[in-house]
Amino acid sequence: MHSYPRRTRSIRMIQSLLVATITLYLLIAPQTLHAQSVPDTVPDTQTAGRSVFLPLVVGGGAQAPTWQLNAQEQQLEVLFRTDPEQHRQNPRRDDTLSQVARQRAQDMADRNYFSHTSPDGHGPNFWVVQAGYGLPSYYTANGNNIESIGLNYATADEVWQAWKSSPAHRVHVIAEDPFYATQTDYGLGYVEKNGSRYWVLLTAQHN
């Protein structure tokens, strides 16, 4: 006769525990699901205290690889950067200019010409802008404010000394003229084909 009240109290206690457990689950579960479904969300005032998972990026991902200089371009770069007469402050190799410089050398080699103007009538200013490097608006749209070239010099040292010995090239390559001193970005190109050697130096500044 006295077992029913005790059994009723036990049932009620179990029911209370179940309700508390379900309530606690409902409070926690939405936060856990949100954190797992948005793995790249950065913590802010709304997500503080929640578990947030950030992706691990390996191997560079979105960054483009640095343009690789060939051996002759590397030698020319050392001369350009370390010459005691160089007037440029903190010159910086630019991948776009480097790519265009190599392409300029390759184009001259492939089409057998040696000039700042291609057979199509385009100058180096045009080519670097087409490649995505923005030049100042006062530069000549289809001319040359940025390039020195050399033909058939056997070494980087030979072409560098030839440029420095030429008044027209010297003001550019070591920036004796203040106009060129502002061109702290640079690119280098070298291509050898059919016994001919083409050297290109581009220097520029962004608009």
Side-chain angles (χ1 to χ4, degrees):
M1 295 293 295
H2 298 288
S3 62
Y4 290 109
R6 284 197 294 270
R7 183 180 300 174
T8 301
R9 285 195 298 270
S10 298
I11 292 172
R12 287 177 179 173
M13 289 178 62
I14 293 172
Q15 289 174 339
S16 297
L17 287 172
L18 286 173
V19 170
T21 301
I22 293 171
T23 301
L24 182 61
Y25 173 80
L26 291 175
L27 288 172
I28 295 174
Q31 296 182 17
T32 305
L33 292 173
H34 176 79
Q36 292 176 346
S37 64
V38 192
D40 55 351
T41 301
V42 177
D44 56 22
T45 55
Q46 293 182 339
T47 60
R50 299 180 185 179
S51 297
V52 181
F53 304 92
L54 300 178
L56 177 64
V57 179
V58 179
Q63 292 186 350
T66 301
W67 180 259
Q68 297 297 312
L69 301 181
N70 60 37
Q72 292 81 5
E73 293 162 356
Q74 291 175 21
Q75 293 162 10
L76 184 57
E77 180 177 49
V78 172
L79 295 167
F80 175 80
R81 294 185 61 91
T82 63
D83 192 298
E85 296 183 273
Q86 181 63 262
H87 288 71
R88 290 179 176 86
Q89 298 295 318
N90 301 316
R92 183 188 72 89
R93 174 155 50 93
D94 181 86
D95 282 0
T96 300
L97 295 180
S98 297
Q99 183 174 0
V100 174
R102 176 86 62 78
Q103 290 173 341
R104 286 278 298 132
Q106 188 67 60
D107 187 55
M108 288 189 284
D110 291 343
R111 296 201 277 176
N112 193 30
Y113 74 95
F114 181 68
S115 172
H116 293 299
T117 304
S118 72
D120 312 291
H122 297 304
N125 290 9
F126 172 85
W127 293 118
V128 299
V129 171
Q130 288 296 302
Y133 187 102
L135 294 173
S137 60
Y138 54 86
Y139 279 35
T140 307
N142 200 27
N144 175 32
N145 300 112
I146 60 176
E147 181 183 75
S148 285
I149 55 179
L151 176 63
N152 287 339
Y153 293 96
T155 66
D157 184 67
E158 287 184 14
V159 71
W160 183 251
Q161 294 306 321
W163 283 337
K164 287 185 61 179
S165 299
S166 165
H169 293 88
R170 180 183 178 87
V171 295
H172 171 227
V173 300
I174 61 172
E176 284 187 331
D177 189 310
F179 174 84
Y180 295 114
T182 63
Q183 296 178 341
T184 54
D185 289 349
Y186 68 90
L188 305 155
Y190 173 84
V191 168
E192 182 176 351
K193 185 174 182 179
N194 299 327
S196 296
R197 299 178 176 92
Y198 297 85
W199 300 85
V200 177
L201 168 65
L202 294 175
T203 64
Q205 68 173 119
H206 275 290
N207 59 3

